[in-house]
């Protein structure tokens, strides 16, 4: 075992990379849940985004088009969920599970023939002054653009939810859909838009894994990150900034765990690989004491009877 | 403008019509999918649904129906109890793995001792293992109000790592020339879950599945516990007033589901699979969720749905080898089935009405 081989600067830098897919998926789901919809299909949308982005990026040679395609793929899949739960009024838990099962199948179907290929590289941010700063530059200012896009989306979501009328309406729909409906807001339409946004975010999160973090395509490569993102929303008590904090925390756990594996710690690899899931459970236990911040209409079916 | 109107009472006809419509819709959509993959849709559908039962090689495939159906039915019966009460155990895959590990562990511990008591002890260990694994989300939910969906699912990934660790470490075959995986339990008569009638596919797991179906049916229709489960699912507030203890129900439902999933894993590892290996689990725990819904959370429906889903597994394998249909297409096919079912299900509780003005 050689812990000195772990470089703290690289560790912090890779933490930001490891956290980004989680951050993207979780902030999308946060918006969905704020609108009162529980979409358990994050894992399915992520993996679909991962392969859509990968396929388009490989075929066009443009990673940005790949990310766009991933957002589109995730959104299209989430539209299925939206139709089921908002139009056909199906159970949200069951529909979300179905979405994950379907997405896993769909992605490995599309992904045939993409195994073992390297995607085109993603350009990294390089601001002459900032990126060359000794420690901070390496940690904060020399990542790919997606890392910053994730941060921008979190900021945008926070601002929208807190300071804009649109955010207020979204929260109203999530807190009490009957009242929002009575006020004349189109509950179903707003929820569908939120679901599409969540799908696009999850898709981009998936593409981040297949295009940048790994970068390769393997079946089932999201390995539960979508589910951890769902747990993250609970951890964050439905607050965008806490999602950021939580994503970095989980990113940190993943990175440290991988570094410990590489450093050859005496703990077997399998037990280290369990740690992110076990820590998720632990965090859920700690956070579940406080249920007050959950949107009041979360997971309830809305049917306008009048 | 078409509008949905809530039925005063759920339509009895649609409850049973919905799965049939969903299966037909899935066949049509699946046919389109196969056509897109460049396969003849009619041939593909026939290969999946007809050939395993009635083709000239059907004698080879028919036993597989029971072999693949039994774990699905066992797990789905357990899940359906919880689903009825609004308790979402989606970690059956993990409970299945742990049941297989504890069951096989007991068997391997006795190796090479021969005795009638080995197999029954393995059965008990399998059920206990699955039960214990399901108790984690159950106790956390009751004690701390933790979301059982997320915890039970996280434990699937933990169980998969545990399985990898066991098949590479503790349970590795000492005479296996360093290859991962345990001893083959099929070659250890006292622990082998052999076919009861040769060539029928009938093993102890199938018997257990039948017992589970009957047991669940009686419990849901005749026993107070079944009544409480249904009451909690349909009217949680009324259940509270009727004196149903929700915590107790969580423990019972998750515990039963875990024990049954554990049993399924144990029967699989000691019979058809034969040994603990890294790729031992094939997603029965997740497919069983589809089976439970397709069977309308009703024991008899689940038995039929389990056999149908087993058919898609077998037919899928045939289509894979004969037509070159990718395995993923079959997985997608099963996912589509759940989608169509959920979509068609709207007709159970609502009816379509023509209206002039848009409301929502």
């Amino acid at each position: 075992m050689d812990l000195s081989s772990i470089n703290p600067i690289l560790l912090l830098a890779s933490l930001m990379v490891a956290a980004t897919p989680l951050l993207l998926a979780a902030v999308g789901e946060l918006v969905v849940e704020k609108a009162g919809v529980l979409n358990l299909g994050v894992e399915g949308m992520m993996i679909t985004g991962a392969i859509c982005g990968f396929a388009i990026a490989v075929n066009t040679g443009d990673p940005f088009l790949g990310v766009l395609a991933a957002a589109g793929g995730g959104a299209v899949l989430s539209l299925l969920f939206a139709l089921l739960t908002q139009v056909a009024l199906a159970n949200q838990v069951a529909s979300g599970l179905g979405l994950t099962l379907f997405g896993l199948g769909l992605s490995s179907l599309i992904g045939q023939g993409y195994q073992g290929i390297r995607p085109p590289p993603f350009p990294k941010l390089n601001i002459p002054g900032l990126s060359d700063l000794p420690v901070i530059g390496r940690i904060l200012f020399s990542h790919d653009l997606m890392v910053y896009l994730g941060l921008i989306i979190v900021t945008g979501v926070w601002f929208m939810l807190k300071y804009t009328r649109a955010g207020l309406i979204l929260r109203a729909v999530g807190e009490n859909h009957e009242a929002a409906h009575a006020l004349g807001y189109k509950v179903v339409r707003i929820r569908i838009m939120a679901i599409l946004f969540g799908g696009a975010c999850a898709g981009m999160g998936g593409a981040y894994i297949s295009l940048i973090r790994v970068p390769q395509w393997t079946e089932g490569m999201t390995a539960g990150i979508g589910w951890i993102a769902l747990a993250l929303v609970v951890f964050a008590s439905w607050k965008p900034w806490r999602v950021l904090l939580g994503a970095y925390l989980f990113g940190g756990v993943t990175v440290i765990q991988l570094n410990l594996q590489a450093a050859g710690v005496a703990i077997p690899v399998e037990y280290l690989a369990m740690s992110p899931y076990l820590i998720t459970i632990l965090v859920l236990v700690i956070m579940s004491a406080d249920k007050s911040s959950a949107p009041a209409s979360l997971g309830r079916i809305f049917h306008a009877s009048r | 403008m078409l509008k949905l109107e809530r039925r005063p009472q759920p339509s009895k006809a649609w409850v049973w019509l919905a799965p049939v419509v969903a299966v037909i819709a899935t066949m049509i959509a699946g046919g389109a999918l196969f056509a897109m993959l460049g396969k003849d849709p009619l041939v593909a559908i026939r290969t999946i649904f007809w050939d395993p039962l009635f083709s000239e090689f059907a004698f080879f495939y028919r036993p597989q129906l029971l072999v693949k159906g039994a774990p699905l039915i066992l797990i789905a019966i357990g899940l359906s109890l919880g689903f009825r009460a609004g308790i979402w155990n989606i970690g059956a895959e993990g409970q299945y793995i742990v049941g297989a590990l504890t069951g096989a562990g007991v068997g391997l511990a006795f190796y090479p001792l021969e005795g009638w008591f080995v197999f029954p002890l393995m059965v008990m260990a399998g059920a206990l293992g699955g039960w214990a694994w399901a108790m984690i989300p159950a106790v956390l939910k009751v004690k701390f109000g933790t979301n059982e969906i997320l915890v039970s699912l996280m434990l699937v990934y933990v169980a998969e790592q545990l399985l990898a660790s066991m098949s590479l470490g503790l349970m590795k075959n000492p005479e296996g020339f360093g290859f991962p995986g345990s001893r083959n339990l099929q070659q250890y008569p006292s622990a082998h879950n052999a076919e009861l009638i040769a060539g029928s596919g009938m093993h102890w797991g199938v018997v257990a599945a039948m017992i589970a179906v009957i047991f669940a049916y009686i419990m849901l229709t005749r026993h107070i516990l079944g009544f409480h489960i249904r009451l909690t699912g349909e009217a949680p507030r009324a259940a509270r007033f009727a004196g149903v203890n929700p915590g107790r129900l969580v423990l019972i439902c998750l515990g039963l589901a875990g024990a049954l999933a554990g049993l399924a894993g144990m029967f699989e590892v000691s019979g058809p699979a034969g040994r603990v290996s890294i790729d031992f689990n094939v997603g029965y725990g997740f497919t069983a969720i589809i089976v439970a819904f397709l069977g309308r959370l009703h024991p008899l429906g689940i038995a039929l749905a389990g056999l149908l889903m087993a058919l898609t597994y077998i037919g899928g394998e045939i289509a894979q080898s004969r037509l070159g249909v990718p395995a993923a297409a079959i997985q997608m096919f099963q996912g589509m089935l759940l989608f169509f079912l959920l979509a068609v299900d709207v007709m159970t509780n609502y009816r379509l009405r023509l209206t002039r003005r848009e409301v929502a």
Side-chain angles (χ1 to χ4, degrees):
Chain A
M1 182 170 103
D2 184 16
L3 284 182
S4 60
S5 66
I6 301 177
N7 179 345
I9 297 174
L10 277 179
L11 192 77
L12 284 171
S14 54
L15 180 153
M16 285 187 81
V17 172
T20 300
L22 258 178
L23 183 64
L24 282 166
V27 81
E29 178 67 15
L30 178 113
V31 171
V32 178
E33 292 193 15
K34 272 286 183 192
V37 181
L38 181 65
N39 185 354
L40 291 182
V42 182
E43 180 83 4
M45 301 185 298
M46 269 188 111
I47 192 95
T48 306
I51 186 58
C52 286
F54 192 86
I56 296 295
V58 166
N59 286 329
T60 61
D62 184 352
F64 288 102
L65 272 183
V67 171
L68 268 182
V76 168
L77 199 65
S78 71
L79 187 64
L80 265 177
F81 176 84
L83 288 177
L84 276 177
T85 58
Q86 302 306 310
V87 179
L89 308 175
N91 180 312
Q92 295 182 1
V93 175
S95 309
L97 287 175
L99 198 70
T100 292
L101 296 176
F102 182 77
L104 287 171
L106 177 70
S107 64
S108 45
L109 187 63
I110 302 174
Q112 301 206 326
Y114 284 102
Q115 261 140 357
I117 303 176
R118 278 192 83 81
F122 213 86
K124 290 204 168 186
L125 181 76
N126 200 359
I127 310 166
L130 285 175
S131 303
D132 299 334
L133 285 175
V135 175
I136 297 175
R138 185 78 189 81
I139 298 174
L140 291 179
F141 297 113
S142 54
H143 292 291
D144 47 87
L145 294 173
M146 290 288 286
V147 169
Y148 307 104
L149 180 68
L151 294 174
I152 292 169
I153 292 179
V154 172
T155 316
V157 165
W158 163 77
F159 184 82
M160 204 249 341
L161 285 175
K162 191 155 184 177
Y163 292 110
T164 67
R165 184 166 179 79
L168 191 65
I169 294 170
L170 186 89
R171 284 188 286 145
V173 167
E175 290 296 339
N176 190 336
H177 49 215
E178 303 287 352
H181 173 65
L183 283 171
Y185 296 123
K186 308 276 186 197
V187 173
V188 170
R189 198 176 298 170
I190 290 164
R191 285 191 167 162
I192 289 178
M193 287 195 295
I195 292 169
L196 287 177
F197 176 77
C201 282
M204 284 194 288
Y208 191 84
I209 299 175
S210 66
L211 284 177
I212 301 166
R213 184 150 169 237
V214 175
Q216 214 178 24
W217 165 252
T218 40
E219 274 181 28
M221 69 184 308
T222 45
I225 292 181
W227 293 103
I228 294 183
L230 276 160
L232 204 58
V233 179
V234 181
F235 165 80
S237 312
W238 293 268
K239 292 185 181 77
W241 289 120
R242 286 230 223 150
V243 166
L244 186 69
L245 179 75
Y248 282 168
L249 200 75
F250 280 99
V253 171
T254 316
V255 169
I256 289 173
Q257 178 260 114
L258 287 173
N259 273 287
L260 287 178
Q261 282 188 22
V265 180
I267 310 167
V269 173
E270 291 84 14
Y271 292 95
L272 282 173
M274 275 178 202
S275 56
Y277 308 111
L278 290 175
I279 288 173
T280 307
I281 294 176
L282 191 70
V283 163
L284 278 172
V285 169
I286 296 168
M287 296 309 295
S288 50
D290 174 32
K291 280 257 170 15
S292 54
S293 42
S297 294
L298 186 61
R300 280 173 45 210
I301 294 170
F302 173 71
H303 177 238
S305 48
R306 274 176 297 169
Chain B
M1 178 77 198
L2 275 173
K3 183 180 162 249
L4 288 171
E5 187 185 78
R6 188 174 255 287
R7 290 178 197 269
Q9 233 123 51
S11 156
K12 284 237 167 60
W14 270 103
V15 168
W16 292 104
L17 208 56
V20 178
V21 175
V23 169
I24 294 169
T26 309
M27 282 189 187
I28 295 169
L33 172 74
F34 294 133
M36 277 199 310
L37 291 169
K39 319 283 174 206
D40 184 342
L42 287 177
V43 173
I45 296 290
R46 206 194 62 209
T47 311
I48 294 173
F49 288 99
W50 182 264
D51 285 4
L53 294 176
F54 304 110
S55 75
E56 53 178 324
F57 299 112
F59 66 90
F60 178 73
Y61 298 120
R62 269 186 224 134
Q64 284 293 313
L65 205 60
L66 290 179
V67 170
K68 293 217 159 45
L72 287 175
I73 295 170
L74 260 179
I75 301 171
I77 289 280
L79 294 181
S80 70
L81 298 177
F83 289 176
R84 271 184 181 245
I87 300 159
W88 298 94
N89 169 21
I90 58 169
E93 186 82 359
Q95 294 140 22
Y96 172 84
I97 293 173
V98 172
L101 286 178
T102 51
V106 166
L108 292 169
F110 278 112
Y111 183 87
L113 182 80
E114 296 290 350
W116 60 267
F117 53 85
V118 174
F119 191 69
L121 279 177
M122 287 167 67
V123 173
M124 280 194 272
L128 269 178
W131 173 83
W133 206 246
M135 270 302 118
I136 301 172
V139 169
L140 291 181
K141 183 171 176 76
V142 174
K143 274 256 167 219
F144 304 102
T146 313
N147 184 323
E148 80 280 12
I149 302 176
L150 293 172
V151 174
S152 64
L153 195 104
M154 287 296 140
L155 286 172
V156 174
Y157 294 98
V158 176
E160 279 177 349
Q161 296 296 335
L162 199 64
L163 175 70
S165 148
M166 285 297 161
S167 50
L168 293 171
L170 196 60
M171 292 191 186
K172 192 161 95 172
N173 185 357
E175 292 151 18
F177 306 105
F179 284 105
S182 73
R183 283 180 199 280
N184 196 333
L185 291 170
Q186 289 170 349
Q187 289 154 10
Y188 174 24
S190 287
H192 184 199
N193 171 22
E195 276 186 320
L196 298 172
I197 307 163
S200 65
M202 178 93 172
H203 61 67
W204 282 109
V206 182
V207 177
M210 287 175 185
I211 295 172
V213 169
I214 297 166
F215 180 79
Y217 181 78
I218 294 173
M219 195 177 93
L220 284 171
T221 51
R222 295 282 179 273
H223 196 273
I224 184 77
L225 183 63
F227 174 70
H228 282 168
I229 288 174
R230 285 187 293 145
L231 187 62
T232 306
E234 279 159 35
R237 256 172 73 81
R240 200 84 49 81
F241 289 128
V244 178
N245 181 346
R248 195 171 143 260
L249 213 56
V250 169
L251 291 175
I252 292 174
C253 286
L254 273 165
L256 275 175
L260 288 175
L263 275 180
M266 180 269 150
F267 286 124
E268 186 73 16
V269 79
S270 58
R275 59 199 202 97
V276 175
S277 59
I278 297 178
D279 51 0
F280 162 71
N281 59 315
V282 290
Y284 283 146
F286 293 114
T287 313
I289 297 172
I290 306 179
V291 171
F293 279 107
L294 192 64
R296 318 268 59 194
L297 306 181
H298 186 286
L300 300 179
I302 287 172
L304 290 176
L307 292 175
L308 179 74
M309 209 50 105
L311 190 64
T312 62
Y313 266 117
I314 304 161
E317 278 170 21
I318 303 174
Q320 221 175 309
S321 63
R322 217 182 286 164
L323 305 176
V325 172
I330 305 302
Q331 200 184 346
M332 223 179 108
F333 199 75
Q334 294 174 344
M336 270 198 287
L337 189 54
L338 181 55
F339 272 152
F340 279 116
L341 185 74
L342 290 169
V344 177
D345 224 13
V346 70
M347 298 311 296
T348 310
N349 291 312
Y350 296 87
R351 58 183 158 215
L352 287 172
R353 266 286 163 86
L354 274 171
T355 53
R356 245 169 271 149
R357 217 159 44 83
E358 186 186 345
V359 181

